Every structure is written in structure tokens, then in C-alpha cells.
Amino acid sequence: MIVKTSRRKLPAHYAAIVSPLVLSLLMTFIVSFISTLKSLGLQPDLPATWLTAWGLSWLVAFPTLLLVLPAVRRIVGWLCEPVAR
């Protein structure tokens, strides 16, 4: 028997912070790994170097996303038709 438990969700007004937070975490995680791997190759200290690079890149990416996201939304609105409801 599967018991489904409901989890509490954040209120909708937090989406403006949570969306760039998740996006910045995932993007910097992947891009910093690829960049570090390309620079160093497979070396024993790759994980430590990569995690340091990831932390630094995330510290830059998250506030940058918070600042540029309103402009990005305006640009996307200018380029795309609105969703029909």
C-alpha cells in the first residue's frame, strides 16, 4: 500500500526568488563542472577544485539572475506571443 503524504509548499510570492535560486544552482553546477573538467582533465583533485569553482560561480550567478530577470522577462515578452488562456 502506498501512502501519499502531502508536503507543504512555499507561498506563490516566493517563486520570484526560488526560480532564480534553482536555476542558478543547476546551471552553475553543470557549467562549472564542464569548464573545470576541460581545464584540468580527469585529476584526483577535480572534485575539490570543481566545488570551489561552483561555489564562486553561484555567488556571482544568483544575484546576477535576480538583477537581470526582470529585463529578461520583458525581452521574452517582446519576442514571444502571450500564452492563450
Side-chain angles (χ1 to χ4, degrees), residues 29 44 48 51 59-60 65 74-75:
F29 186 83
L51 290 175
L59 284 174
V60 173
L65 271 173
R74 283 193 296 277
I75 293 167

Side-chain angles (χ1 to χ4, degrees), residues 3-85:
V3 177
K4 186 174 181 177
T5 60
S6 67
R7 63 177 179 81
R8 294 184 60 194
K9 293 184 178 184
L10 292 170
H13 66 272
Y14 284 105
I17 298 294
V18 173
S19 182
L21 173 67
V22 172
L23 180 62
S24 66
L25 285 169
L26 292 174
M27 288 298 295
T28 56
F29 186 83
I30 294 165
V31 172
S32 66
F33 177 73
I34 292 169
S35 178
T36 306
L37 180 63
K38 185 166 177 14
S39 294
L40 300 180
L42 286 174
Q43 295 195 8
D45 63 339
L46 178 68
T49 304
W50 165 46
L51 290 175
T52 301
W54 178 37
L56 181 60
S57 63
W58 181 80
L59 284 174
V60 173
F62 181 56
T64 301
L65 271 173
L66 291 175
L67 291 172
V68 302
L69 204 51
V72 169
R73 286 186 179 127
R74 283 193 296 277
I75 293 167
V76 170
W78 180 68
L79 294 171
C80 299
E81 291 289 333
V83 176
R85 295 199 182 238

